[in-house]
Amino acid sequence: MKIGLEVHVALPTHSKLFCSCSTEDADQPNTNICPICMGFPGSKPSLNKEAVRIAKSVSKALNCKINQSISFVRKTYFYPDLPKSFQITQLAGSIGIGGEIKLSSSTVRIRRIQIEEDPARIIRESKYTLLDFNRSGIPLIEIVTDPDITSEDQLREFLSVLRSILYYIGVDIDKEMKADLNISLGENRVEIKNVTGIKNLIDASRYETKRQGEIIKSGRQPEKETRSYEEASQTTVSSREKETDEEYGYIYEPDLTDFSVSGLEIKEDVFDARQISREIADKYSLDYKTILELIALDKDALNLLKHGLEKTNLKPDLVLNALEAKKRFGNAVNEKSLVLLAGYIEKGIQIDREIIKKVENGIPPAEDVISDEKIDDSIEKELSSSPDLVERYKKNPKVVDFIVSTISKKYGIPQKKVAVRIKDILAKYIK
Amino acid sequence: MKYIEEFLKKEKPSGYYNKLLEELGGLNRKFGAFNFINKQISAGFPMSVKDNICVKGMETTASSKILKGYIPPFSATVIKRLEKEGFSILGKTNMDEFGFGSFGINSETPAKNPFDETRVAGGSSSGAAIATAILKYHVAVAESTGGSIAAPASFCGVVGFTPTYGLISRYGLIDYSNSLDKIGFMSRSSEDIRTLMGKSIGKDPADTTSVDAVLNNVSKQRLVIVDELYSKIDKNIKSSFDNTVKKLSSAGFKIEHLSIPEIDYSIPVYYIISMAEASTNLAKFTGFKYGLKVDDFSKGYNDFFTEAREAFGEEAKRKILLGTFIRGASVRSKYYEKALKIRRAIKDKMSSFLKDSFVISPTMPVIAPTIKEAQSFTPLQNYSMDLLTIPSNLCGFPSISLPSDYLNGLPVGIQITGGQFEDMGLVSFGEEWEKSFKYNFKYNLGDL
């Protein structure tokens, strides 16, 4: 199996690629528009340098050679969402050429990275079609890979690595990601156009793998064709397009001069979350996967992790545990509250909203002055007042964890301490 | 003669503009100069605008049915700049549809020559030239892709100026071929061209290809005649041109003949590039956002825009078909990419000998043909008319067309081409020329 991708992602700029219209989501359709993004006669494009700058960062992050002088082309075709009936995009003068992404056991080559304009949005109603040009001219990059992906696992890994790398440059791949998926099990390439989002992409590839596999098993070859993905049924269907190579009649965009990118500064730190996770895991003897999951799409978590490990005296595994709480409770966990939070964890207290509130208000965990007697009394009190707890424990001994946490919370006793005594006392109740 | 300056100094009688509009209306019906006359004009120096240049709130059709009713929501940069300097819009001038033509007959109203109404006015900026030839105090904002200013200026006996590519912003121009299109001017004197250039050039952030440049009055004493061009001139024109060259020689210019074999490729290279670009520019006209409206929305999109595009004229359709073919993946390197290379070679060659000389030639290889003759020309005969004017557009160099003779009462022009940014050197040449050669005008509407 060979899979290649053309991934389209919107770039986080304030204005569109060739005009000054806002890229913000608008309440009303056709409000962020002007003669340029509507393709009115007489209008001309002016290049948004910030879009080029971000595309340059992406190219560098994906190990591409950066074209110092970029140029644009017109890709001509007729479709109602395309206001000029040509899209301004890139070919030979693309910003990035010949990169790669290394996966755990393979490498996916990046053929090129190009900058282009998004068409308008088509809204299909039963009897008519509506067009919203707010999207027309939003800057996109298209990342074109070689057909180097050979399994669903690799596809999944590729997408998550790509997403993380782009995340650290400020590009959100899942927001409006559209991809064309080229997939071939046999002799002919099948292209599945315009699949949106990572989940659909994986589902589409799974269905298509199965479909082509069955055709080959029956002794035939899948046809060379374009298909589309239907989200509701998780299947692909033939688009019934002519089986010829598409003819876009490319010419240079004569309204844009060649543009030198050498003056554009790459501000974003380009790095790979996998590499950072590996370094941290090795240095502090922590679990690589846990770290990667925490930081792959969370810049704050990475900073907090580094802060906790480098700037505090906390034990590394406590820092990591505190950060897992951050995953659940978000921004309430910050540099200030990290040490406090770790203190609760160290005492074995289960972290919940109330604890987080205490941490936010700077309240440290209560001093450990609870006598053994008081612990036993508390347990006794709870069990005698809630016979149903005992009954549930009889049926399922695992309920003990729940009982411990309930008592811990209710009487303010660390879970560890409750746990030490609970079984002895429970034994009396289930004679 | 400084018409602009003179007009501003002179007292205008009350009702001046109304009288001007009234007289213009009559002559316009005769010659077809304007697609639209601005009845609101009541002050300022009258300026006409070629109908492919957008003016906010004024119908702009590029003489095409497909743009009927298009009222741009913005004005071209050059128009905004000139309006700020006291120029007022008298109207939108007739032209060959989208600039596709050398005679002004590819329009619903074929333009007629003010010196002989059975003859063509030249194109594609036909109306601009007619307006300049009939109005005393007026300048025309026109546009050239391959000679669309020089050709009608020469046939109508006025000064036509095509500047260096990029000096005047193209923002607001309805494109024919973006890498060749230049906005320029027509007037009754070179001095007025100097005034117009001073008020309109310079970088415009809305047009990436526009530039800032310091323009000097370059003076050159060497004039070059290119053999390959000279050999293809009609014999009437040739003898008139020889006389003009003799005059210049006795005025102290050094005349030289030179061979540039590459220049023979100008016409094919020009038509390949311009058709490739034009066919993409015309793709946006699909009849549902502006201009011509197709009311039947029940059809699929392909049928819908196909119906709308039937409104294109014959030459526009020819350019769409040939241009689309030229861009095709299987022939792109054979035509389009090769043409870009040859264009570069011609430019390099021209640059090398323009260092210390100007190029001189007649503007057109023939005198203005009759409308009947022009209508019977084959496309190839039509295209060959641009032979002398194309090189300046291909290279982006400035050129000026000056009336130089009258043959049987019909104006004939010479064209001087300079190097990049030598625009004012050409204007100076024109100013000198006008000291010894007086232009004839049959009409002087708006005289004071």
Side-chain angles (χ1 to χ4, degrees), chain A residues 35-36 38-42 44-46 74 76 78-80 83-86 131 247 249-252 254-255 257, chain B residues 54 70 74 170-173 175 178 205-206 208-209 280-281 283-285 288-290 301 305 327-329 332 336 340:
Chain A
I36 298 170
M38 289 288 284
F40 270 40
K44 309 230 176 301
S46 301
R74 292 178 170 183
T76 307
F78 290 86
Y79 209 64
K84 300 184 290 294
S85 301
F86 61 78
L131 289 166
E247 177 65 273
Y250 291 101
I251 62 164
Y252 292 103
D255 276 337
T257 48
Chain B
C54 292
Y70 174 53
F74 62 99
R170 289 181 297 111
Y171 193 82
L173 171 69
D175 311 302
N178 320 49
T208 308
T209 63
T280 63
N281 289 323
K284 66 163 70 81
F285 301 108
F288 81 135
K289 286 202 300 294
Y290 40 73
Y301 181 64
F305 80 75
R327 290 185 287 115
R332 186 159 52 233
Y336 176 67
L340 293 179

Side-chain angles (χ1 to χ4, degrees), chain B residues 176-435:
Chain B
Y176 168 175
S177 177
N178 320 49
S179 72
L180 294 158
D181 296 344
K182 302 193 250 182
I183 288 178
F185 304 109
M186 289 187 215
S187 65
R188 289 188 163 203
S189 76
S190 297
E191 283 169 317
D192 282 353
I193 298 288
R194 183 180 293 281
T195 305
L196 287 165
M197 286 294 283
K199 295 180 189 309
S200 57
I201 63 166
K203 178 79 186 165
D204 171 17
D207 174 5
T208 308
T209 63
S210 67
V211 290
D212 273 326
V214 180
L215 303 184
N216 299 317
N217 283 313
V218 195
S219 171
K220 292 177 180 173
Q221 290 308 301
R222 247 163 58 113
L223 298 175
V224 165
I225 297 167
V226 179
D227 289 338
E228 285 77 5
L229 301 181
Y230 184 74
S231 66
K232 295 182 185 76
I233 302 164
D234 187 85
K235 69 175 189 302
N236 288 333
I237 298 287
K238 200 176 261 177
S239 64
S240 163
F241 178 67
D242 288 345
N243 280 335
T244 302
V245 167
K246 246 178 240 161
K247 268 195 242 170
L248 288 167
S249 174
S250 51
F253 283 97
K254 208 169 158 246
I255 313 291
E256 274 178 42
H257 279 260
L258 249 173
S259 166
I260 312 176
E262 293 91 338
I263 220 155
D264 275 337
Y265 296 103
S266 298
I267 290 182
V269 164
Y270 168 80
Y271 276 99
I272 286 170
I273 293 172
S274 66
M275 285 181 184
E277 292 184 8
S279 63
T280 63
N281 289 323
L282 294 179
K284 66 163 70 81
F285 301 108
T286 50
F288 81 135
K289 286 202 300 294
Y290 40 73
L292 176 89
K293 283 208 177 69
V294 178
D295 289 327
D296 184 1
F297 278 93
S298 67
K299 295 175 178 170
Y301 181 64
N302 285 356
D303 294 330
F304 179 84
F305 80 75
T306 303
E307 183 182 328
R309 290 164 74 78
E310 278 167 21
F312 282 128
E314 191 184 325
E315 186 57 29
K317 285 177 183 165
R318 182 176 291 116
K319 285 193 160 53
I320 290 169
L321 289 174
L322 284 170
T324 305
F325 168 72
I326 286 162
R327 290 185 287 115
S330 58
V331 295
R332 186 159 52 233
S333 63
K334 193 171 156 192
Y335 298 124
Y336 176 67
E337 278 160 20
K338 193 180 276 177
L340 293 179
K341 272 184 212 149
I342 300 172
R343 178 183 190 175
R344 163 68 48 190
I346 295 173
K347 186 175 180 181
D348 290 346
K349 194 67 171 279
M350 290 267 291
S351 298
S352 70
F353 64 76
L354 276 168
K355 273 190 191 114
D356 53 0
S357 52
F358 291 137
V359 174
I360 184 167
S361 73
T363 305
M364 294 300 282
V366 296
I367 54 167
T370 64
I371 292 173
K372 268 201 182 134
E373 282 168 344
Q375 282 167 339
S376 69
F377 285 158
T378 64
L380 277 181
Q381 281 174 313
N382 276 329
Y383 298 166
S384 69
M385 293 296 161
D386 302 336
L387 169 77
L388 306 171
T389 53
I390 277 174
S392 114
N393 283 78
L394 266 187
C395 303
F397 295 152
S399 64
I400 192 166
S401 175
L402 303 164
S404 62
D405 202 355
Y406 296 88
L407 295 179
N408 305 323
L410 290 171
V412 169
I414 49 165
Q415 176 185 255
I416 319 293
T417 303
Q420 192 179 35
F421 303 133
E422 292 179 350
D423 302 61
M424 289 309 148
L426 301 179
V427 173
S428 297
F429 183 99
E431 287 164 345
E432 279 303 307
W433 172 254
E434 286 157 13
K435 282 179 188 163

Side-chain angles (χ1 to χ4, degrees), chain A residues 156-221:
Chain A
R156 200 184 292 276
E157 189 187 358
F158 173 79
L159 289 169
S160 69
V161 170
L162 178 67
R163 186 177 179 192
S164 173
I165 292 173
L166 295 188
Y167 165 81
Y168 273 97
I169 298 171
V171 179
D172 184 358
I173 189 174
D174 206 33
K175 192 183 164 202
E176 280 271 341
M177 186 194 77
K178 261 187 294 180
D180 300 336
L181 182 72
N182 295 307
I183 177 163
S184 55
L185 269 73
E187 289 161 8
N188 294 321
R189 194 186 76 153
V190 175
E191 182 170 28
I192 304 158
K193 282 217 166 246
N194 269 329
V195 187
T196 49
I198 289 177
K199 184 186 174 293
N200 287 339
L201 209 49
I202 289 168
D203 289 346
S205 93
R206 184 180 305 139
Y207 175 82
E208 193 56 25
T209 307
K210 197 172 136 236
R211 188 188 71 87
Q212 292 187 27
E214 280 166 6
I215 293 173
I216 290 168
K217 230 185 256 169
S218 73
R220 290 173 294 136
Q221 280 291 331

Side-chain angles (χ1 to χ4, degrees), chain A residues 66-260:
Chain A
I66 290 164
N67 240 333
Q68 289 309 309
S69 176
I70 62 167
S71 61
F72 290 85
V73 295
R74 292 178 170 183
K75 176 181 180 177
T76 307
Y77 61 95
F78 290 86
Y79 209 64
D81 64 359
L82 200 58
K84 300 184 290 294
S85 301
F86 61 78
Q87 181 194 35
I88 303 178
T89 176
Q90 296 193 292
L91 273 182
S94 294
I95 177 108
I97 288 166
E100 62 175 30
I101 294 182
K102 282 208 155 52
L103 302 183
S104 52
S105 61
S106 64
T107 299
V108 177
R109 288 167 295 167
I110 307 292
R111 202 173 281 173
R112 64 171 186 274
I113 295 176
Q114 64 196 42
I115 304 166
E116 60 189 31
E117 52 181 344
D118 210 351
R121 188 189 302 277
I122 296 185
I123 300 140
R124 292 187 198 282
E125 303 288 343
S126 57
K127 286 189 180 153
Y128 48 85
T129 297
L130 299 171
L131 289 166
D132 179 3
F133 287 88
N134 285 347
R135 201 180 70 185
S136 173
I138 297 271
L140 300 178
I141 45 168
E142 178 175 338
I143 301 167
V144 184
T145 79
D146 278 324
D148 292 343
I149 299 167
T150 56
S151 69
E152 187 185 314
D153 283 346
Q154 274 182 19
L155 176 62
R156 200 184 292 276
E157 189 187 358
F158 173 79
L159 289 169
S160 69
V161 170
L162 178 67
R163 186 177 179 192
S164 173
I165 292 173
L166 295 188
Y167 165 81
Y168 273 97
I169 298 171
V171 179
D172 184 358
I173 189 174
D174 206 33
K175 192 183 164 202
E176 280 271 341
M177 186 194 77
K178 261 187 294 180
D180 300 336
L181 182 72
N182 295 307
I183 177 163
S184 55
L185 269 73
E187 289 161 8
N188 294 321
R189 194 186 76 153
V190 175
E191 182 170 28
I192 304 158
K193 282 217 166 246
N194 269 329
V195 187
T196 49
I198 289 177
K199 184 186 174 293
N200 287 339
L201 209 49
I202 289 168
D203 289 346
S205 93
R206 184 180 305 139
Y207 175 82
E208 193 56 25
T209 307
K210 197 172 136 236
R211 188 188 71 87
Q212 292 187 27
E214 280 166 6
I215 293 173
I216 290 168
K217 230 185 256 169
S218 73
R220 290 173 294 136
Q221 280 291 331
E223 265 179 75
K224 181 184 175 191
E225 64 174 343
T226 303
R227 300 177 72 84
S228 59
Y229 178 66
E230 308 232 310
E231 199 173 339
S233 59
Q234 300 195 348
T235 58
T236 66
V237 292
S238 177
S239 309
R240 289 185 206 90
E241 281 176 20
K242 278 185 217 138
E243 301 316 317
T244 53
D245 285 321
E246 280 151 312
E247 177 65 273
Y248 293 119
Y250 291 101
I251 62 164
Y252 292 103
E253 170 48 83
D255 276 337
L256 295 168
T257 48
D258 288 359
F259 179 77
S260 167

